[in-house]
Amino acid sequence: LGIMAGAAVLYVKEAPSGNLTAISGAGSCKIDDTASARLNAAAKGDVAAMLVASEPQPLSTLSFNGPDGRPLNISAFAGKTVLLNLWATWCVPCREEMPDLDALQASAGSDKFEVVAVNVDSDDDEKPRKFLEEIKIAKLTYYQDSSLGIFNELKKRGLVLGLPVTLLIGPDGCLLAGMNGPANWSGADARALIDAALAKDST
């Protein structure tokens, strides 16, 4: 999957993490040409930078911490389509799109879809939690990976150039599409993309 650079490139030093594992299980992921065509058609306007996966990529083992500080991974969302977003408080475009991601979760969140925004600040979580509280984020669940392991793993796979980065992951834990850079996630174009991923008729 080629990814367009929509933000300044972030370089990080790799640290030990459960994410730093060999890519495995690709055979469990298949490219569905019909679904890919539907997503391609929906990737326009505000989300035109979203590029559909051209090869199988299993992402179910990507790990980070839940709101209670305990580790979990994408497999915990099995059965849901996930919009995975990596962000940091020092990343201005990341900060600007958080209210839009919150609005998307408010309007589209269900037992079939969830926005999973993972903070990757390298220190404790006091600053990101305070930021989210200040801007009145109400619907997003707080996830964090201060080790940057998730960023490093996606970088190794060629899916990350900088922050923010957003990946659309199917209910089977397989990559559907991805983009580097911010987007208006509260607009009609973003909702049409999610509807296409969920195989709904968008209006």
Side-chain angles (χ1 to χ4, degrees):
L1 173 67
I3 296 291
M4 295 176 63
V9 175
L10 168 70
Y11 296 98
V12 295
K13 180 179 179 182
E14 293 187 1
S17 164
N19 281 307
L20 302 183
T21 57
I23 299 174
S24 61
S28 64
C29 292
K30 308 291 183 184
I31 296 296
D32 182 329
D33 291 337
T34 300
S36 294
R38 186 169 59 243
L39 284 173
N40 264 319
K44 59 185 179 181
D46 291 334
V47 292
M50 182 67 76
L51 300 181
V52 175
S54 59
E55 60 184 48
Q57 283 263 21
L59 299 179
S60 60
T61 60
L62 287 176
S63 62
F64 43 89
N65 293 329
D68 58 0
R70 296 181 180 180
L72 77 161
N73 56 37
I74 291 297
S75 65
F77 303 91
K80 284 187 177 184
T81 296
V82 167
L83 190 75
L84 175 68
N85 175 271
L86 303 190
W87 69 281
T89 57
W90 48 260
C91 165
V92 174
C94 301
R95 294 168 66 98
E96 292 175 345
E97 72 175 0
M98 294 311 293
D100 290 335
L101 288 166
D102 193 54
L104 178 60
Q105 175 63 24
S107 66
S110 69
D111 60 348
K112 298 296 183 183
F113 173 75
E114 184 169 344
V115 177
V116 176
V118 180
N119 174 263
V120 294
D121 280 38
S122 58
D123 47 14
D124 62 43
D125 63 0
E126 182 179 353
K127 186 175 180 180
R129 283 183 181 275
K130 184 178 180 180
F131 166 71
L132 295 176
E133 183 179 346
E134 287 175 349
I135 64 171
K136 296 180 171 55
I137 295 301
K139 297 300 182 180
L140 295 178
T141 299
Y142 180 75
Y143 300 106
Q144 191 190 39
D145 178 19
S146 60
S147 75
L148 287 170
I150 190 171
F151 180 95
N152 286 322
E153 174 62 15
L154 293 174
K155 182 182 175 184
K156 284 172 61 179
R157 297 190 187 203
L159 298 176
V160 169
L161 296 174
L163 292 179
V165 61
T166 306
L167 304 178
L168 191 58
I169 302 171
D172 56 359
C174 299
L175 178 68
L176 298 176
M179 66 181 288
N180 279 261
N184 174 14
W185 294 108
S186 63
D189 293 330
R191 185 55 190 265
L193 179 73
I194 301 308
D195 285 346
L198 296 171
K200 292 180 180 178
D201 293 328
S202 17
T203 57

